[in-house]
Amino acid sequence: MDVSSFVLLSHEQALRRQLDVAANNMANVSTTGYKREQALFHEYVENTQDAPVQDARKTSFVLDYGAVHDVSQGAFQATGNALDVMIDGPGYLNVQLPDGSTAYTRAGFIKVLDTGELATSGGQRLLDENGRPINVPTDQVGSLTIAPDGSVMAGEEAVGRLAVTSFADENMLEARGDGVLTGSGGQMMTAAQTKLRSGGVEGSNVEAISETTHMVEILRSYQTSQRLSSDLADMRRNAIGRLSKLT
């Protein structure tokens, strides 16, 4: 396989990666708090001093560097549930995983477990500023509200405050696939820094029309690359055929 084939192969692998990411975005267009991903690629230039012509000495390949998150905020979706919250700005709600470790989510569907603890719709317990689950008196569940600073109010009394953590580089967070992310290096936000909006949740920031257009562009680029591969194969066959007639 010659250099041109390697270059086209690296390009097609990059396009396949882009298509996978775009398809995953489309699958999560209705997922609460989902952040659109975008494939990240770098150019790798290889210098070949023994190339037959000057223009062929530099060969550009495509390297896959993973995916980055679009951290722009999704639209507010009203639910009518006073416990549901949307984080207005940066940050993630702190939740407890089954192994006791802390994870993060922007999916603000909140419910009260039979044990009286606040949890997400997936059953992960929500944590307070001290890393402990928030317990609610069973006789005050019906009067629960959540203040903009994250305070959980049972009538006029605060029974806890939802912990919200921000990250300087949100691309360091790793998605688990259930609306929950894991990572380290976050900073707990103070009550003054926390801005929650109750009565609804944050929708996905994926724009279906834009993502569909992007997928079409990827497919067209792949088709172009395939045509180039076919043209190169034809050139090789013709060259071999001519050489065989000369010998």
Side-chain angles (χ1 to χ4, degrees):
M1 186 179 292
D2 59 20
V3 173
S4 58
S5 296
F6 280 117
V7 171
L8 285 173
L9 180 60
S10 73
H11 180 234
E12 290 171 7
Q13 288 178 325
L15 291 172
R16 174 59 185 272
R17 169 66 170 162
Q18 282 185 299
L19 187 60
D20 289 343
V21 171
N24 184 60
N25 288 337
M26 285 296 294
N28 287 280
V29 70
S30 299
T31 301
T32 303
Y34 178 81
K35 299 298 184 184
R36 177 182 179 272
E37 291 187 328
Q38 181 174 347
L40 178 65
F41 301 99
H42 281 194
E43 179 185 29
Y44 172 75
V45 179
E46 181 176 312
N47 291 306
T48 307
Q49 298 301 324
D50 58 350
V53 294
Q54 180 70 27
D55 291 344
R57 289 187 178 180
K58 288 187 176 181
T59 305
S60 178
F61 295 91
V62 183
L63 296 182
D64 183 1
Y65 268 60
V68 295
H69 291 93
D70 175 4
V71 297
S72 61
Q73 188 166 293
F76 179 77
Q77 296 179 342
T79 62
N81 181 6
L83 290 182
D84 291 341
V85 294
M86 167 182 163
I87 300 175
D88 190 4
Y92 293 83
L93 297 171
N94 294 15
V95 297
Q96 187 180 66
L97 296 179
D99 62 1
S101 61
T102 301
Y104 310 93
T105 184
R106 284 183 71 94
F109 289 113
I110 297 178
K111 63 181 181 180
V112 181
L113 300 176
D114 294 337
T115 57
E117 296 169 321
L118 292 184
T120 65
S121 59
Q124 295 96 1
R125 290 174 173 80
L126 288 158
L127 302 177
D128 64 12
E129 299 168 292
N130 298 312
R132 295 192 295 261
I134 300 174
N135 287 281
V136 177
T138 55
D139 59 340
Q140 295 182 339
V141 171
S143 63
L144 287 180
T145 58
I146 297 178
D149 67 354
S151 296
V152 181
M153 307 297 296
E156 298 296 326
E157 180 185 358
V159 296
R161 194 177 83 83
L162 295 171
V164 179
T165 299
S166 64
F167 293 84
D169 184 5
E170 297 193 19
N171 290 308
M172 297 302 293
L173 292 171
E174 182 178 353
R176 284 167 41 96
D178 52 359
V180 175
L181 302 95
T182 57
S184 59
Q187 181 177 3
M188 191 83 67
M189 300 176 69
T190 64
Q193 295 171 325
T194 302
K195 295 181 181 179
L196 300 184
R197 185 176 176 183
S198 61
V201 294
E202 179 186 8
S204 169
N205 68 353
V206 177
E207 297 182 4
I209 295 177
S210 176
E211 206 66 37
T212 301
T213 302
H214 183 49
M215 292 180 71
V216 172
E217 292 173 349
I218 295 171
L219 290 172
R220 287 177 176 172
S221 296
Y222 190 84
Q223 291 170 349
T224 300
S225 181
Q226 287 290 292
R227 285 197 296 270
L228 286 173
S229 295
S230 179
D231 291 342
L232 285 172
D234 290 340
M235 289 175 60
R236 294 190 195 96
R237 282 194 294 269
N238 291 335
I240 292 172
R242 290 178 181 178
L243 288 173
S244 63
K245 292 179 180 180
L246 293 175
T247 56

